[in-house]
Amino acid sequence: MAVRAMVQVVRVAVLALGLGMSSLAAAEESVGEEAKAVPDGARTEYVLAVSWQPGFCEARPTRKECIDQTSDRFDATHFSLHGLWPLKKSYCGVEAELKAQDRKGDWLDLPKLAMADDTAARLIVAMPGVKSGLDRHQWLRSGTCQTDNADDYFTLQLRLLDELNTSAVRALFADRIGSEIGEQQIKAAFDQSFGAGAGDRVRMRCQTVEGRSVITGLTIGLSGDLSGKAGLTGLIKAAGPTEFKCAKGIADAAGRG
Protein backbone atom coordinates (compact mmCIF):
# COMPACT_ATOMS: atom_id res chain seq x y z
CA MET A 1 0.00 0.00 0.00
CA ALA A 2 2.88 2.38 0.80
CA VAL A 3 4.34 1.85 -2.67
CA ARG A 4 0.97 2.40 -4.30
CA ALA A 5 0.45 5.61 -2.34
CA MET A 6 3.91 6.87 -3.33
CA VAL A 7 3.19 6.21 -7.00
CA GLN A 8 -0.02 8.19 -6.73
CA VAL A 9 1.74 11.14 -5.09
CA VAL A 10 4.37 11.23 -7.85
CA ARG A 11 1.71 11.00 -10.54
CA VAL A 12 -0.16 14.05 -9.34
CA ALA A 13 2.88 16.09 -8.32
CA VAL A 14 4.71 16.13 -11.65
CA LEU A 15 3.85 17.41 -15.12
CA ALA A 16 4.72 17.01 -18.65
CA LEU A 17 5.56 14.85 -21.54
CA GLY A 18 4.81 11.13 -21.06
CA LEU A 19 2.12 8.62 -21.92
CA GLY A 20 -1.46 9.58 -21.00
CA MET A 21 -1.86 11.84 -17.96
CA SER A 22 1.31 10.40 -16.41
CA SER A 23 3.12 11.44 -19.58
CA LEU A 24 1.90 14.98 -19.08
CA ALA A 25 3.59 14.73 -15.74
CA ALA A 26 7.16 13.83 -16.63
CA ALA A 27 8.64 17.31 -17.09
CA GLU A 28 7.57 18.59 -13.68
CA GLU A 29 9.34 15.60 -12.22
CA SER A 30 12.59 17.52 -12.51
CA VAL A 31 11.35 20.85 -11.19
CA GLY A 32 12.81 20.31 -7.72
CA GLU A 33 16.18 19.43 -9.21
CA GLU A 34 16.24 22.62 -11.26
CA ALA A 35 15.69 24.68 -8.10
CA LYS A 36 18.98 23.64 -6.52
CA ALA A 37 21.35 26.45 -5.66
CA VAL A 38 24.58 26.69 -7.63
CA PRO A 39 28.00 28.12 -6.61
CA ASP A 40 27.40 31.61 -8.05
CA GLY A 41 24.15 31.93 -6.15
CA ALA A 42 21.91 31.74 -9.22
CA ARG A 43 18.67 29.90 -8.60
CA THR A 44 15.94 28.88 -11.01
CA GLU A 45 12.59 30.37 -10.04
CA TYR A 46 10.45 29.22 -12.97
CA VAL A 47 10.46 26.53 -15.62
CA LEU A 48 9.14 27.18 -19.12
CA ALA A 49 8.18 23.87 -20.72
CA VAL A 50 7.74 23.54 -24.47
CA SER A 51 6.87 20.50 -26.53
CA TRP A 52 8.17 19.17 -29.82
CA GLN A 53 4.67 18.01 -30.64
CA PRO A 54 5.45 15.44 -33.38
CA GLY A 55 7.62 13.53 -30.89
CA PHE A 56 5.06 13.95 -28.12
CA CYS A 57 2.33 12.58 -30.37
CA GLU A 58 4.41 9.73 -31.73
CA ALA A 59 3.78 7.69 -28.59
CA ARG A 60 0.25 8.91 -27.91
CA PRO A 61 -1.56 9.27 -31.25
CA THR A 62 -5.02 8.94 -29.69
CA ARG A 63 -4.78 12.13 -27.62
CA LYS A 64 -7.19 14.81 -28.77
CA GLU A 65 -4.37 17.16 -29.77
CA CYS A 66 -2.59 14.44 -31.72
CA ILE A 67 -5.38 12.83 -33.72
CA ASP A 68 -5.55 15.59 -36.32
CA GLN A 69 -1.90 16.68 -36.40
CA THR A 70 -0.67 17.28 -39.95
CA SER A 71 2.63 18.31 -41.48
CA ASP A 72 1.29 21.78 -42.33
CA ARG A 73 0.04 22.57 -38.83
CA PHE A 74 1.97 25.10 -36.72
CA ASP A 75 3.08 22.57 -34.13
CA ALA A 76 4.61 20.30 -36.78
CA THR A 77 7.52 22.71 -37.30
CA HIS A 78 7.48 24.98 -34.22
CA PHE A 79 7.75 24.47 -30.48
CA SER A 80 4.39 24.42 -28.78
CA LEU A 81 3.49 25.58 -25.31
CA HIS A 82 3.22 23.18 -22.41
CA GLY A 83 3.37 25.47 -19.39
CA LEU A 84 5.17 27.93 -17.12
CA TRP A 85 5.71 26.75 -13.56
CA PRO A 86 6.89 28.59 -10.46
CA LEU A 87 9.06 26.31 -8.37
CA LYS A 88 7.83 25.05 -5.00
CA LYS A 89 4.41 26.70 -5.39
CA SER A 90 1.17 25.31 -6.79
CA TYR A 91 -2.61 25.67 -6.56
CA CYS A 92 -2.43 29.10 -4.92
CA GLY A 93 -5.84 29.98 -3.48
CA VAL A 94 -7.50 27.05 -5.28
CA GLU A 95 -10.25 25.40 -3.25
CA ALA A 96 -9.68 21.78 -2.24
CA GLU A 97 -12.57 20.42 -4.29
CA LEU A 98 -11.33 22.04 -7.49
CA LYS A 99 -7.76 20.91 -6.80
CA ALA A 100 -8.96 17.32 -6.34
CA GLN A 101 -10.91 17.53 -9.57
CA ASP A 102 -7.83 18.75 -11.42
CA ARG A 103 -5.70 15.95 -10.05
CA LYS A 104 -8.07 13.33 -11.46
CA GLY A 105 -6.83 14.33 -14.90
CA ASP A 106 -10.21 15.01 -16.52
CA TRP A 107 -9.19 18.53 -17.36
CA LEU A 108 -11.99 19.30 -19.80
CA ASP A 109 -14.37 19.00 -16.83
CA LEU A 110 -12.62 21.95 -15.18
CA PRO A 111 -14.10 25.46 -15.48
CA LYS A 112 -13.47 27.14 -18.82
CA LEU A 113 -10.95 29.97 -18.58
CA ALA A 114 -11.89 33.60 -19.10
CA MET A 115 -9.53 35.36 -21.50
CA ALA A 116 -9.62 37.74 -24.43
CA ASP A 117 -10.75 36.28 -27.75
CA ASP A 118 -7.38 37.12 -29.32
CA THR A 119 -5.45 35.36 -26.55
CA ALA A 120 -7.70 32.30 -26.77
CA ALA A 121 -7.30 32.12 -30.55
CA ARG A 122 -3.51 32.33 -30.32
CA LEU A 123 -3.41 29.76 -27.55
CA ILE A 124 -5.31 27.16 -29.56
CA VAL A 125 -2.54 27.31 -32.17
CA ALA A 126 0.41 27.57 -29.79
CA MET A 127 -0.84 25.05 -27.20
CA PRO A 128 -2.39 22.00 -28.90
CA GLY A 129 -3.10 20.56 -25.45
CA VAL A 130 -6.00 23.02 -25.13
CA LYS A 131 -8.01 20.25 -26.80
CA SER A 132 -7.37 18.11 -23.71
CA GLY A 133 -7.91 20.95 -21.22
CA LEU A 134 -4.19 21.47 -20.59
CA ASP A 135 -4.71 25.23 -20.35
CA ARG A 136 -7.24 24.80 -17.55
CA HIS A 137 -4.91 22.48 -15.65
CA GLN A 138 -1.90 24.76 -16.07
CA TRP A 139 -3.83 27.78 -14.85
CA LEU A 140 -5.09 26.06 -11.70
CA ARG A 141 -1.81 24.39 -10.83
CA SER A 142 0.67 27.12 -11.76
CA GLY A 143 -0.96 30.24 -13.12
CA THR A 144 -2.80 30.97 -9.89
CA CYS A 145 0.60 31.42 -8.24
CA GLN A 146 1.84 33.93 -10.81
CA THR A 147 -0.79 36.31 -12.14
CA ASP A 148 -4.25 37.62 -11.26
CA ASN A 149 -5.93 36.21 -14.34
CA ALA A 150 -5.53 33.56 -17.03
CA ASP A 151 -5.22 36.10 -19.84
CA ASP A 152 -2.06 37.64 -18.34
CA TYR A 153 -0.63 34.19 -17.58
CA PHE A 154 -0.94 32.91 -21.12
CA THR A 155 -0.10 36.22 -22.81
CA LEU A 156 3.28 36.09 -21.05
CA GLN A 157 3.89 32.52 -22.19
CA LEU A 158 2.90 33.28 -25.76
CA ARG A 159 5.42 36.11 -25.82
CA LEU A 160 8.22 33.88 -24.55
CA LEU A 161 7.24 31.12 -26.96
CA ASP A 162 7.39 33.59 -29.86
CA GLU A 163 10.97 34.44 -28.86
CA LEU A 164 11.93 30.79 -28.86
CA ASN A 165 10.24 30.12 -32.18
CA THR A 166 12.12 32.97 -33.89
CA SER A 167 15.47 31.78 -32.54
CA ALA A 168 18.29 29.57 -33.82
CA VAL A 169 16.90 26.80 -31.61
CA ARG A 170 13.69 26.48 -33.60
CA ALA A 171 15.66 26.83 -36.85
CA LEU A 172 17.87 23.92 -35.80
CA PHE A 173 14.89 21.68 -35.11
CA ALA A 174 13.08 22.69 -38.29
CA ASP A 175 16.19 22.03 -40.39
CA ARG A 176 16.75 18.64 -38.76
CA ILE A 177 13.21 17.22 -38.89
CA GLY A 178 13.47 13.47 -39.20
CA SER A 179 17.10 13.50 -38.05
CA GLU A 180 18.92 13.19 -34.75
CA ILE A 181 20.00 16.27 -32.80
CA GLY A 182 22.56 16.18 -29.99
CA GLU A 183 23.08 18.06 -26.76
CA GLN A 184 25.97 20.20 -27.99
CA GLN A 185 24.06 21.35 -31.08
CA ILE A 186 21.07 22.41 -29.02
CA LYS A 187 23.15 24.14 -26.36
CA ALA A 188 25.08 26.01 -29.06
CA ALA A 189 21.80 27.21 -30.61
CA PHE A 190 20.60 28.47 -27.21
CA ASP A 191 23.91 30.24 -26.61
CA GLN A 192 23.74 31.83 -30.06
CA SER A 193 20.22 33.17 -29.48
CA PHE A 194 20.13 33.92 -25.76
CA GLY A 195 23.72 34.43 -24.68
CA ALA A 196 26.67 32.38 -23.48
CA GLY A 197 25.66 29.74 -20.98
CA ALA A 198 21.98 29.75 -21.93
CA GLY A 199 22.23 26.14 -23.09
CA ASP A 200 23.28 25.13 -19.57
CA ARG A 201 19.83 26.20 -18.32
CA VAL A 202 18.03 23.77 -20.63
CA ARG A 203 16.89 20.18 -20.16
CA MET A 204 15.73 17.92 -23.00
CA ARG A 205 13.16 15.17 -22.71
CA CYS A 206 13.03 12.14 -24.98
CA GLN A 207 11.01 8.95 -25.20
CA THR A 208 11.81 5.66 -26.88
CA VAL A 209 9.17 4.67 -29.40
CA GLU A 210 9.64 1.45 -31.34
CA GLY A 211 13.37 1.58 -30.77
CA ARG A 212 13.72 5.25 -31.73
CA SER A 213 14.59 7.96 -29.20
CA VAL A 214 12.35 10.88 -30.11
CA ILE A 215 12.53 14.37 -28.61
CA THR A 216 9.31 15.26 -26.80
CA GLY A 217 10.24 18.67 -25.46
CA LEU A 218 12.48 21.05 -23.56
CA THR A 219 12.32 22.69 -20.15
CA ILE A 220 14.07 26.05 -19.76
CA GLY A 221 15.07 27.53 -16.41
CA LEU A 222 14.13 31.18 -15.80
CA SER A 223 14.57 33.70 -13.00
CA GLY A 224 13.56 37.31 -12.62
CA ASP A 225 10.52 39.57 -12.83
CA LEU A 226 7.99 38.08 -15.24
CA SER A 227 5.48 40.87 -14.78
CA GLY A 228 7.26 43.25 -17.14
CA LYS A 229 8.65 42.78 -20.61
CA ALA A 230 11.80 40.87 -19.72
CA GLY A 231 13.00 38.68 -22.58
CA LEU A 232 14.33 35.16 -22.56
CA THR A 233 17.98 36.29 -22.65
CA GLY A 234 17.88 37.96 -19.23
CA LEU A 235 15.49 35.46 -17.67
CA ILE A 236 17.59 32.47 -18.72
CA LYS A 237 20.88 34.10 -17.70
CA ALA A 238 19.56 34.71 -14.17
CA ALA A 239 18.61 31.05 -13.68
CA GLY A 240 20.78 28.26 -12.33
CA PRO A 241 22.26 25.58 -14.59
CA THR A 242 20.72 22.14 -14.84
CA GLU A 243 21.50 18.70 -16.24
CA PHE A 244 20.59 18.26 -19.92
CA LYS A 245 19.37 14.68 -19.31
CA CYS A 246 18.62 13.28 -22.81
CA ALA A 247 21.88 13.58 -24.77
CA LYS A 248 20.36 13.12 -28.22
CA GLY A 249 17.12 12.35 -29.97
CA ILE A 250 15.21 12.59 -33.23
CA ALA A 251 13.30 15.77 -34.11
CA ASP A 252 10.37 13.72 -35.32
CA ALA A 253 8.17 14.67 -38.26
CA ALA A 254 4.41 14.92 -37.86
CA GLY A 255 2.64 11.61 -38.34
CA ARG A 256 3.43 8.07 -37.31
CA GLY A 257 6.84 6.51 -37.94
Side-chain angles (χ1 to χ4, degrees):
M1 291 298 292
V3 172
R4 183 177 301 173
M6 184 176 295
V7 170
Q8 182 63 19
V9 169
V10 172
R11 183 171 296 160
V12 298
V14 297
L15 251 190
L17 310 165
L19 200 51
M21 289 305 150
S22 61
S23 68
L24 284 172
E28 258 184 22
E29 206 167 49
S30 59
V31 163
E33 299 172 36
E34 300 204 33
K36 292 177 181 176
V38 292
D40 63 1
R43 182 181 289 272
T44 298
E45 297 177 319
Y46 304 91
V47 171
L48 175 65
V50 297
S51 299
W52 185 254
Q53 200 71 8
F56 175 86
C57 290
E58 182 70 18
R60 46 196 75 79
T62 60
R63 288 191 63 83
K64 289 180 174 65
E65 61 265 40
C66 297
I67 291 173
D68 59 352
Q69 189 188 48
T70 59
S71 59
D72 60 350
R73 207 168 74 175
F74 177 85
D75 59 304
T77 56
H78 295 73
F79 291 107
S80 57
L81 186 61
H82 185 79
L84 178 64
W85 315 320
L87 300 184
K88 299 184 178 181
K89 290 194 295 183
S90 62
Y91 297 109
C92 296
V94 177
E95 59 190 54
E97 183 177 348
L98 195 56
K99 184 192 298 186
Q101 184 180 353
D102 176 68
R103 285 176 164 171
K104 290 179 181 178
D106 298 323
W107 296 334
L108 288 174
D109 292 336
L110 296 171
K112 187 176 180 180
L113 301 181
M115 64 181 79
D117 290 344
D118 177 63
T119 306
R122 292 176 62 203
L123 194 62
I124 289 173
V125 174
M127 182 186 244
V130 166
K131 294 183 178 181
S132 295
L134 178 62
D135 56 330
R136 305 178 194 192
H137 164 69
Q138 293 288 2
W139 164 248
L140 283 179
R141 191 188 188 287
S142 301
T144 53
C145 299
Q146 296 180 59
T147 62
D148 293 332
N149 59 74
D151 192 90
D152 288 346
Y153 176 60
F154 287 110
T155 296
L156 165 63
Q157 293 178 72
L158 288 166
R159 177 172 64 79
L160 298 179
L161 183 69
D162 284 346
E163 276 197 70
L164 183 62
N165 276 326
T166 55
S167 74
V169 183
R170 182 261 167 178
L172 171 65
F173 273 67
D175 289 345
R176 300 285 295 171
I177 289 177
S179 301
E180 192 173 76
I181 310 177
E183 175 178 350
Q184 295 309 312
Q185 292 170 287
I186 296 170
K187 284 187 172 182
F190 267 95
D191 288 356
Q192 177 185 336
S193 296
F194 305 113
D200 293 330
R201 275 72 177 163
V202 177
R203 176 169 292 184
M204 186 163 79
R205 309 203 74 86
C206 304
Q207 186 168 343
T208 301
V209 182
E210 297 180 355
R212 302 163 65 242
S213 177
V214 296
I215 300 168
T216 57
L218 304 170
T219 55
I220 306 165
L222 308 176
S223 283
D225 183 6
L226 299 183
S227 63
K229 295 297 183 181
L232 281 176
T233 297
L235 294 171
I236 293 174
K237 182 178 180 180
T242 188
E243 184 182 354
F244 198 75
K245 290 290 188 180
C246 175
K248 58 184 178 180
I250 297 169
D252 210 29
R256 295 289 291 159

